[in-house]
Amino acid sequence: MTAKDKLPQMMPNTEAQGFTARESWRIFGIMAEFVEGTERLKPIRPAVSIFGSARTAPDHPYYEKTERIARQLSDAGFSVISGGGPGIMEAANKGAYFGKSPSVGLNIQLPMEQQANPYQDISQTFQHFFARKFMFVKFAIAYVVMPGGFGTLDELLEAMTLIQTGKSRKIPVILVESAFWNGLLDWFKTTLVSEGMIHPNDMNLIQVIDEPEKVVDAIFNHYQTRGFLPLPEEHELMLNL
């Protein structure tokens, strides 16, 4: 039996053909998101991406700490990138907005509309999560990850996968609030490492830091022997993300 024999036979259907054509044309919309986002964000380097829950209230300690971290990063000369929404994203943008460097929001259009926060010097909206995630990685010289849910874990594991597999340059990945992350990290060690799913050295891809000042110090320490811009070989990596 050939592959052709295994494929289902599609009945001619004008409506289905029209849908397929629209689906193909959407590729140009996806391309436009990548081009527009890349051109819009070129001037913001060096930048740090901050992630965390959209559900964190402004009076929560996580919100206040995120705002402090973002303000210190901004005053130190780093643009701050967040997902542009409420909660931790708002705290990150707010801290940077009142600092010396740009506050950047990469907003996403959702079925239940995400409300963009008002603390954005540069705001870019995406329809596709994968285009938005590409921008977080491409322009960040560090990831700061606050407590969050599925979306936050998605961004964290995406960055770790790209670094682990050599598809992206090695950047600091900093988890803030050790009490929140310790259970996950223990599972990484006791299950993923012990069963050979990851190498023990992969745990070194992550730093856990609770003090805002030390977050900024850790980023500077990582780059103390080199500049923030990608090295030639790293630039090549970034072209092939």
Side-chain angles (χ1 to χ4, degrees):
M1 182 180 291
T2 67
K4 184 177 180 180
D5 295 326
K6 296 180 181 180
L7 293 173
Q9 299 301 307
M10 302 297 292
M11 296 295 291
N13 184 307
T14 304
E15 183 178 345
Q17 291 174 351
F19 177 80
T20 301
R22 290 198 306 274
E23 196 172 50
S24 298
W25 276 104
R26 289 195 66 186
I27 294 172
F28 292 100
I30 294 169
M31 290 170 59
E33 284 201 347
F34 279 97
V35 172
E36 184 179 352
T38 300
E39 290 299 311
R40 186 89 189 279
L41 300 179
K42 276 195 303 187
I44 69 170
R45 290 187 174 105
V48 175
S49 292
I50 298 181
F51 303 98
S53 175
R55 304 182 183 191
T56 304
D59 60 353
H60 196 286
Y62 294 163
Y63 186 106
E64 188 273 336
K65 182 175 282 190
T66 305
E67 189 176 345
R68 284 172 56 202
I69 292 171
R71 178 61 185 268
Q72 291 186 28
L73 288 168
S74 181
D75 286 342
F78 299 105
S79 299
V80 172
I81 307 173
S82 93
I88 294 295
M89 294 179 282
E90 178 182 283
N93 284 135
K94 185 178 180 182
Y97 187 79
F98 293 106
K100 297 178 180 178
S101 304
S103 172
V104 182
L106 305 184
N107 302 279
I108 185 74
Q109 294 180 356
L110 299 173
M112 295 180 65
E113 189 67 26
Q114 172 179 297
Q115 183 67 39
N117 71 68
Y119 304 106
Q120 302 177 41
D121 298 304
I122 299 173
S123 180
Q124 186 71 20
T125 300
F126 295 85
Q127 286 187 319
H128 302 93
F129 270 111
F130 55 83
R132 180 179 182 239
K133 288 202 295 183
F134 173 84
M135 300 302 162
F136 282 127
V137 175
K138 180 175 178 61
F139 292 96
I141 56 95
Y143 267 31
V144 175
V145 189
M146 302 298 297
F150 289 152
T152 301
L153 292 173
D154 180 42
E155 300 292 354
L156 169 62
L157 295 176
E158 173 92 3
M160 292 173 61
T161 300
L162 290 171
I163 296 169
Q164 179 208 47
T165 57
K167 289 294 289 182
S168 176
R169 61 178 175 157
K170 187 174 181 180
I171 65 173
V173 178
I174 301 169
L175 307 185
V176 182
E177 293 296 339
S178 54
F180 181 88
W181 295 109
N182 280 342
L184 178 65
L185 296 178
D186 287 344
W187 181 75
F188 283 177
K189 295 173 186 174
T190 59
T191 301
L192 298 187
V193 172
S194 66
E195 295 198 16
M197 303 300 176
I198 63 174
H199 192 279
N201 290 341
D202 290 334
M203 295 302 300
N204 297 330
L205 300 177
I206 311 167
Q207 301 178 63
V208 183
I209 301 174
D210 286 344
E211 298 81 7
E213 297 78 11
K214 292 185 178 180
V215 170
V216 180
D217 290 343
I219 295 171
F220 275 113
N221 289 340
H222 181 86
Y223 291 98
Q224 65 181 340
T225 59
R226 49 158 297 172
F228 292 115
L229 292 177
L231 301 174
E233 60 272 20
E234 293 174 337
H235 183 70
E236 192 66 28
L237 277 178
M238 304 308 286
L239 290 176
N240 292 287
L241 269 178

